[in-house]
Amino acid sequence: MSELGAKPRSRKLGRRCTSSTQESLVLVEGIYVKTVSPGVVESFLKKEEDFLKKLSLISSTVLNVLLQADESDTAGKDHLKSIIVINERFHALFDLTAGCYKTLTELHEESSVDVYDLYIVKKERNFIQAYTQYFLGVTNHIATKGFDRVSRAASNHWKSNKRGLKTLIAETLDISFTVFLQRVFTEPFRSHVQTYSLLLSQLSEKSGEDAKRTSSIDLSHAYHNLSKYIGQVLDEASQTKQLWATLSHKLTAALYTLERRLQEDSKNVPIVTTSGKQDRILLFDDVLVFIQGHETHICDLKTLWVDSSTKPTYKQSNQVLRIVTPEAEFLLSCKEPQNQALWQWKLNQLIRQRVNGSRDFPLWGKTGEANEPPTSRVSSYTYKNDSRYKNATYHGDMSWGKPHGKGTLTWPDGRNYVGDFQYGQENGFGVCLVPSSLEDRYDCYKCHWVNGAMLGYGICEFADESVYKGYFKDNMRHGYGVLENLASGSNPFKYTGNWYKDKMSGYGVWDSSHKGERYIGMWRNNQRQGHGIVLTHMGACYQGTFSLNKLVGPGILISEDGSVYEGEFTEECLLAGKGKLTFNNGFTLVGTFNRNQTTSGLQAQGVLNTSCEDLTESMKRKFQFGEGVLPIEERWHDIFEHFQKFLESGCRKETEESFLGFHVKSNKKLEQAQEYLYCQRESDDVSGKIEDILKEMSLHLEQESMQCYLEKAFKSSHHPLMKLMKELCVAYQATYSGIGSNLHLLSMAQEEIKHYATKIWEFYSALKVMASGENKKVVPAGGVEEISEEVNPYTVVLPPLLPYFHEDLSMLYMLYHQQEDKHYWQGIVRLGTLTDTKLLEFLDVQRQLWPLKDIKLTANQRYSIVRHKCFHSATECLQKITTVMDPRQKLEIILKTYAEIEKTVLRVVDKDYKLPMDDLLPLLIYVVSRAGIQRLGAEIHFIYDLMDPSIRGGIYDFLLTALESCYEHIQREEIRLYK
Amino acid sequence: MAIRELKVCLLGDTGVGKSSIVCRFVQDHFDHNISPTIGASFMTKTVPCGNELHKFLIWDTAGQERFHSLAPMYYRGSAAAVIVYDITKQDSFVTLKKWVKELKEHGPDNIVMAIAGNKCDLADIREVTFKEAKEYADSIGAIAVETSAKNSINIEEVFQGISRKIPPLDPYENGEIGAMKLGRPSLQSTNRCC
């Protein structure tokens, strides 16, 4: 006790010295310190002394007896426990009161006493808390009929001590021990709180100053509320006690908890459900209970919503209350409108208090703002009957009985869903874990959901370590997607392509790193079905028709040495039936092939032709797969389809991810990791809004600025076209890189790139239409686009697109032209040994065109020995052709090269001279041979394939053809082997 | 008026005056659009024909014997070919026949052929008679004209003859879609032999 006395003094000093604001208050107003007269302090001291005496009497004569009770049965033990709790809280109060008394005795000696030094003011919170805790303990005991029991158990003791106890409460005549005990534990405390309240209100009146009044009133207010609270909890407790006494055992067992208190009863304030079946409705502080015959519905107030706006469905004149819980709805109505208002008010108050997790203080005092319970709240609920959610537990945002917002749904089998909900269903982004047959393993879906089912883009990491990245529909893989299994144990594979109802169906590429094989072609039901191409790591490859995973019917096989078989196949790669075999030396064998069963070698009957005269046969080595059997429109159809749907949906940002794939930050290093981890996404870090993107788009009208815009768009992580590009790159690489670097795929590859450009052009145009706002409807895809001279897929889209595919594509061109480029290079090397004049002579260039004037000879030089001096500007110009990627730019360089030749010629002839092809071609061959561009054949073919078809026949086409003819000419034996 | 682009390929021995004929044809008339040219090797000229405009894209070829094998690159996709010989040189007429044969075998289907006997101003030293040329032309369904680039005789007639022999556009496609596109010569697929 001694420290209780010491502390207030030091605190008082501390407060006065440190708090400068209060100090200034004293100076300015001069009335701050409110003194309490010694007389008041003395009477207060007296009251505290009396109360302390009373408390010690209760402690010694009542509490100690109760604590000594010897309880054997469980109910008795529970009661004893609650007595122990009461005892603890009683002593906390005791100590606090003793502290108050102690400080008062000290203050008593001082001449003036600051009201704020009063212990009950200074420690107001402690007092309030100690009293509420104490009464919680006491009311629990009351509600559970604890006092009834102890009064019976120790009735003899009470009788013998009646006199001593009489001093504790005023009237003790004719009351039972139960009531007596209850009063002992409540009345002295209640009245003492009232003493505090009265004292403080008197003090504030005495001081009189307006400024102080408010604070004083505040002080007495807390004790005033406390006294109100005590009355309320005691009422609740006795009502609840009565309820437990009247309810059947079964119901009591179902409903009884220590702290549960009855708040309203349909017996007191009548209310019925409109179905009329429930015969009783009980409202507790945490649940609403419907009792109907033998059935009891208990609804947690946390997951209960009250809607008073519902109109009655039939002729009832009164309004009804709609009670919404996760799995049931009730309509309540009262005959008396005021009763209904009471129920509604009480329900809402209790729901709010239940949701907040604490009761109001005092319980029913508050009115005014924020008194309605929040519609959206975080709560938990376990489903009992719902068909989909049965036994699942939901925790998260709820609104009107339904998961709405962010939440978690957990099934007993370990399945769970974490993510967005809307109106009771998974909707938005969510992560779903589904336990697999493998122990401790889960399939993890990170996906977009609509109305409870996966729809749109998602990633699934399956329990077997395979990963699917792609589109879903109705909880199944559907549309475009990539399934990859890199697990070391099983067959590692990767499938890139179309899915239909969870099965590989449509166009797709299957890569088996284990077998070193790639299949490019059509699928159905997870099997190869239809046209397809197989590439092997050995270099052999074939194209044919598959049925149920097996190669059947006619096909073409090209072996690694260039031999070609055209004919019938059975099984994988087995020559069977009529066919034609063309050896790489040009010999052909036409006949019937079959497999020799005994030696497992190949048997053939037919005609061998060794004439090798048919030139087209040698071209078989360059046979192009896919032509006519894998139409371009069928390849990656769904990638474009998803984008098209995104356009049709109006390009809204919130749906972008679901249509186009997850948004990833542009940081390259993080990209991989984030596609997996980027589940907690915030919308505000996505700065690029679709509207801004569109707005900018409409500003670009010229070919060059459109090209620049697309270049940026492909790089911007916020642009929808960038995501499309990313998908296309993945699809393209899956087909054409690695063992897909096969010259027989060149035609398919370049066709595909042109198709990408055309589709992107279509989408770009559609986006532009949206941007202009003239027409919100998207131009349907596939319509005949008017390809204008200036702006078309080749001039606008292809230049920024090519860099993404150039590496793999140019590799195909190189492979295709390997042989020719080798011959060409021999020619270049050969011609390189000639001096300028020798070369001009060799090429039959007219002497009048020889640019010898240009050459500045040094003292020891003659014309006949100089090299690389003639047409130097043209040569240098042509060499730049490999420095650019855009076919159009390459063509410009060829045109400039011609201009340089012409300039030189005009200077030499010194008159207007129009070069006819007879003169131009030798000059061009001269320049080409001097420029020495590596792999010119691949270069020319690349330009030819990818240049704007609208300029075919024109000046660029002419020059390209001229260049090509030079290339052809240099390959000639007469040049290569020139002696 | 719809513009139709027609690729025309010039074939013939060196020295017979292939490019002179084209230069004359292109220069004689005022052309609204000054199109870029590659010397005398590539030139364009637009002439009206019926209710169409024919834009001739004229591709010269090297006449030297050793470049003959390169010719297919030039005449692929041509709508017409003008094969020129020198009426004063029998040899050039022999070469012409070779070209005709090659075009028949390897040239584009339905290619319109015109035989131009140049240097008709030098008729006194003629080695090839017009009758001979005409009969040959008729036998292969070609146009036969004797020209003089020097005196500008019959130059236009060669191209007018070609224009007349170009089949008109399909009636229903005409006007429906841009003529630019249709006018383009049909070109081979990308899978070429290089």
Side-chain angles (χ1 to χ4, degrees), chain B residues 104-171:
Chain B
K104 288 262 172 197
E105 280 170 14
H106 303 293
D109 296 339
N110 304 323
I111 187 168
V112 175
M113 287 189 275
I115 291 172
N118 199 24
K119 307 193 187 172
C120 70
D121 48 309
L122 301 174
D124 45 337
I125 52 163
R126 162 196 299 274
E127 285 184 10
V128 182
T129 63
F130 182 66
K131 186 169 173 274
E132 185 187 352
K134 179 71 183 162
E135 274 169 8
Y136 178 70
D138 287 346
S139 74
I140 56 162
I143 304 152
V145 188
E146 287 200 339
T147 59
S148 167
K150 188 180 168 196
N151 297 346
S152 189
I153 299 165
N154 276 347
I155 300 295
E156 264 188 71
E157 280 73 3
V158 176
F159 291 92
Q160 278 167 0
I162 289 169
S163 276
R164 275 194 297 272
K165 287 198 89 171
I166 294 289
L169 290 173
D170 202 324

Side-chain angles (χ1 to χ4, degrees), chain A residues 628-642:
Chain A
V629 296
L630 292 171
I632 184 71
E633 293 77 21
E634 276 180 35
R635 295 183 230 154
W636 315 124
H637 172 263
D638 276 23
I639 296 183
F640 298 112
E641 186 71 18
H642 296 304

Side-chain angles (χ1 to χ4, degrees), chain A residues 843 898 915 917-918 965 968 972, chain B residues 14 39-41 63 69 73-74:
Chain A
L843 295 170
Y898 163 74
L915 276 167
M917 207 50 185
D918 291 355
S965 60
E968 285 285 303
R972 294 269 179 82
Chain B
T14 179
S41 306
S69 63
M73 294 178 201
Y74 292 85

Side-chain angles (χ1 to χ4, degrees), chain A residues 625-910:
Chain A
F625 284 145
E627 287 190 330
V629 296
L630 292 171
I632 184 71
E633 293 77 21
E634 276 180 35
R635 295 183 230 154
W636 315 124
H637 172 263
D638 276 23
I639 296 183
F640 298 112
E641 186 71 18
H642 296 304
F643 198 91
Q644 178 71 25
K645 280 187 189 147
F646 170 65
L647 289 183
E648 279 162 9
S649 78
C651 294
R652 282 173 304 127
K653 203 178 112 244
E654 56 274 24
T655 60
E656 194 204 334
E657 277 196 331
S658 138
F659 283 110
L660 304 179
F662 294 152
H663 178 75
V664 285
K665 285 180 180 163
S666 50
N667 188 332
K668 278 262 157 80
K669 268 189 183 171
L670 287 171
E671 225 165 73
Q672 188 72 23
Q674 274 181 343
E675 196 169 356
Y676 279 87
L677 302 172
Y678 211 44
C679 297
Q680 284 293 318
R681 280 137 329 130
E682 291 150 38
S683 52
D684 57 1
D685 69 21
V686 183
S687 56
K689 286 190 192 130
I690 298 275
E691 296 78 48
D692 296 344
I693 286 167
L694 290 179
K695 207 193 258 173
E696 205 204 322
M697 187 176 258
S698 55
L699 301 175
H700 300 279
L701 299 168
E702 299 295 305
Q703 181 256 331
E704 230 170 282
S705 72
M706 282 158 101
Q707 197 179 312
C708 281
Y709 174 80
L710 278 176
E711 202 172 308
K712 269 195 280 174
F714 291 154
K715 283 185 191 136
S716 153
S717 59
H718 302 299
H719 203 288
L721 285 173
M722 180 264 181
K723 290 188 179 172
L724 177 64
M725 267 296 286
K726 230 178 75 184
E727 295 282 33
L728 291 175
C729 284
V730 168
Y732 183 85
Q733 277 178 8
T735 325
Y736 302 110
S737 65
I739 64 173
S741 281
N742 185 312
L743 68 93
H744 305 288
L745 295 183
L746 172 62
S747 169
M748 276 176 83
Q750 58 91 11
E751 193 183 16
E752 218 166 288
I753 285 173
K754 287 193 273 193
H755 185 63
Y756 298 165
T758 316
K759 291 305 268 188
I760 290 175
W761 173 250
E762 263 172 35
F763 293 142
Y764 176 80
S765 309
L767 280 168
K768 245 177 118 165
V769 170
M770 288 184 114
S772 69
E774 289 165 4
N775 185 0
K776 283 282 168 195
K777 271 203 160 180
V778 181
V779 185
V784 182
E785 276 280 330
E786 183 74 40
I787 296 176
S788 84
E789 293 282 331
E790 278 300 311
V791 288
N792 63 40
Y794 291 90
T795 57
V796 175
V797 187
L798 211 51
L801 181 99
L802 268 176
Y804 294 87
F805 305 98
H806 190 258
E807 206 178 304
D808 288 328
L809 184 64
S810 61
M811 177 57 88
L812 292 177
Y813 280 103
M814 276 184 215
L815 291 170
Y816 189 96
H817 288 277
Q818 212 162 25
Q819 190 65 28
E820 292 84 352
D821 279 338
K822 206 176 109 197
H823 287 166
Y824 154 79
W825 197 247
Q826 284 174 352
I828 292 288
V829 171
R830 177 64 214 137
L831 295 176
T833 62
L834 299 179
T835 65
D836 282 1
T837 48
K838 268 266 163 48
L839 184 55
L840 288 166
E841 198 182 345
F842 173 72
L843 295 170
D844 275 340
V845 176
Q846 284 193 59
R847 279 198 176 254
Q848 56 155 337
L849 302 177
W850 289 17
L852 299 181
K853 274 192 212 169
D854 280 5
I855 304 170
K856 301 262 183 306
L857 291 175
T858 51
N860 53 353
Q861 271 184 333
R862 277 167 296 127
Y863 284 125
S864 59
I865 62 160
V866 293
R867 272 173 221 228
H868 300 284
K869 294 281 190 219
C870 297
F871 296 103
H872 190 64
S873 59
T875 309
E876 274 193 330
C877 186
L878 188 60
Q879 280 165 340
K880 287 184 198 138
I881 199 164
T882 53
T883 61
V884 291
M885 220 178 268
D886 178 8
R888 176 75 181 208
Q889 285 179 335
K890 288 180 191 277
L891 288 169
E892 301 279 359
I893 286 170
I894 303 172
L895 184 62
K896 272 192 207 136
T897 307
Y898 163 74
E900 290 297 334
I901 295 173
E902 191 181 43
K903 228 192 273 170
T904 310
V905 167
L906 290 182
R907 199 167 52 235
V908 174
V909 242
D910 205 19

Side-chain angles (χ1 to χ4, degrees), chain A residues 47-115:
Chain A
K47 280 177 181 149
E48 287 299 278
E49 203 179 331
D50 291 347
F51 186 54
L52 278 173
K53 274 182 196 155
K54 241 180 212 174
L55 289 182
S56 69
L57 189 62
I58 294 170
S59 175
S60 58
T61 58
V62 184
L63 257 176
N64 285 345
V65 177
L66 293 179
L67 284 168
Q68 279 155 19
D70 181 25
E71 298 290 355
S72 50
D73 59 334
T74 45
K77 274 177 184 157
D78 285 344
H79 284 148
L80 190 58
K81 260 184 216 159
S82 91
I83 291 291
I84 291 166
V85 169
I86 291 173
N87 183 47
E88 271 168 22
R89 294 177 183 174
F90 175 88
H91 281 285
L93 255 186
F94 202 153
D95 290 350
L96 213 54
T97 314
C100 181
Y101 176 73
K102 187 93 178 166
T103 51
L104 278 174
T105 52
E106 284 161 6
L107 292 172
H108 183 49
E109 285 150 24
E110 288 180 21
S111 55
S112 83
V113 176
D114 184 345
V115 72

